[in-house]
Amino acid sequence: MRYLYIFFLILLPSVVFSQGSQKANNYLEKSAAIFENNSGITTNFTYLEKDAKSKTNYTFNGELKNKGNKFYLSSPDLKSWFNGKTMWSLMPATEEINISEPSSEEIESINPLSLLRLYKNGYKSHLKKDNSDQSEITLIPDNKDAQWQELSVILNKSTNLPIKIELKDKKDKTIVISFKEIKQSANLKDSDFEFNKSDYPEFEIIDLR
């Protein structure tokens, strides 16, 4: 499976700020609160992965639905439903559905919006740019061995919603997630975040719980 380290860790219940720019933390807190408290958010995004060592790029378009700590993610290689406890991961190539109860780290590796949570623990924030249209915030880990060595979040100043998230890891990979449009108040149902077996009757189900 390809790198799918994306999106929005807005699901953590506690707020533990690292040292850094309080103004940057405030911007991220406002953005995170939108996802935590909304009745439903939908967005389309473009994922770009650049590998400096192999000089290769990989890109795809995807769709994300989010409601509180629930999400649905659709990409060419993977579809995931997470209802707050159980996750169903569908791989079209192998016609398999894995059922699991993932950890916070596993959710972070799949759900793009989850990355907004990193400011809450283990990362120092720096306000790199702040004008009337956008704010750009850089996050640097306290731990030099952390998976993400640098993150950049660009927020729309009028909506407090993310425009772009860029990540650099310790293996010289860069991931850029660009959000095309984020719609709020979608009134999503809880059933939108649960796998319906009748939609994929021929797929093999593998229960990993």
Side-chain angles (χ1 to χ4, degrees):
M1 227 162 82
R2 282 272 186 178
Y3 243 34
L4 282 177
Y5 297 116
I6 343 172
F7 267 62
F8 318 46
L9 263 193
I10 302 161
L11 318 174
L12 292 181
S14 60
V15 179
V16 182
F17 291 102
S18 295
Q19 293 182 353
S21 167
Q22 186 60 50
K23 191 172 184 181
N25 284 344
N26 289 342
Y27 285 146
L28 291 170
E29 174 71 9
K30 289 179 181 178
S31 185
I34 292 173
F35 294 98
E36 290 173 343
N37 302 320
N38 208 285
S39 62
I41 288 177
T42 62
T43 183
N44 295 317
F45 64 93
T46 297
Y47 173 98
L48 171 63
E49 178 185 320
K50 298 181 285 187
D51 191 323
K53 289 184 177 179
S54 64
K55 297 182 180 180
T56 58
N57 293 343
Y58 172 68
T59 187
F60 64 80
N61 294 322
E63 176 191 8
L64 180 76
K65 298 178 182 179
N66 191 93
K67 180 182 177 182
N69 67 343
K70 304 175 179 67
F71 70 84
Y72 165 75
L73 172 70
S74 176
S75 72
D77 295 333
L78 176 73
K79 294 182 187 293
S80 288
W81 296 259
F82 180 66
N83 66 3
K85 179 182 178 182
T86 303
M87 184 161 70
W88 296 264
S89 300
L90 183 150
M91 280 73 72
T94 59
E95 295 191 349
E96 293 177 349
I97 298 110
N98 290 338
I99 305 176
S100 62
E101 294 182 355
S103 65
S104 298
E105 291 77 14
E106 289 170 325
I107 294 171
E108 181 181 339
S109 72
I110 296 172
N111 179 9
L113 291 175
S114 66
L115 296 175
L116 290 178
R117 296 176 171 189
L118 292 179
Y119 76 98
K120 295 182 177 182
N121 190 21
Y123 281 76
K124 290 184 175 68
S125 63
H126 304 273
L127 190 58
K128 185 175 181 180
K129 182 175 70 175
D130 193 21
N131 57 39
S132 59
D133 297 321
Q134 297 178 0
S135 297
E136 183 175 353
I137 299 158
T138 301
L139 296 165
I140 304 296
D142 299 330
N143 183 354
K144 293 182 180 180
D145 294 324
Q147 168 127 27
W148 305 117
Q149 293 298 298
E150 182 178 334
L151 294 90
S152 175
V153 180
I154 298 177
L155 299 174
N156 183 312
K157 285 292 286 290
S158 64
T159 65
N160 292 317
L161 294 170
I163 298 171
K164 182 186 294 185
I165 297 176
E166 183 171 328
L167 308 94
K168 296 180 181 178
D169 76 0
K170 53 188 177 183
K171 296 181 180 179
D172 291 330
K173 283 189 173 69
T174 299
I175 293 171
V176 181
I177 302 145
S178 303
F179 301 96
K180 297 179 181 179
E181 184 179 10
I182 298 179
K183 297 180 180 179
Q184 302 184 58
S185 303
N187 291 319
L188 299 175
K189 299 177 292 186
D190 289 346
S191 59
D192 292 328
F193 307 101
E194 295 189 345
F195 171 73
N196 188 341
K197 183 178 179 179
S198 63
D199 292 336
Y200 301 90
E202 304 302 323
F203 280 46
E204 178 185 1
I205 295 178
I206 302 172
D207 197 331
L208 303 174
R209 290 173 293 182

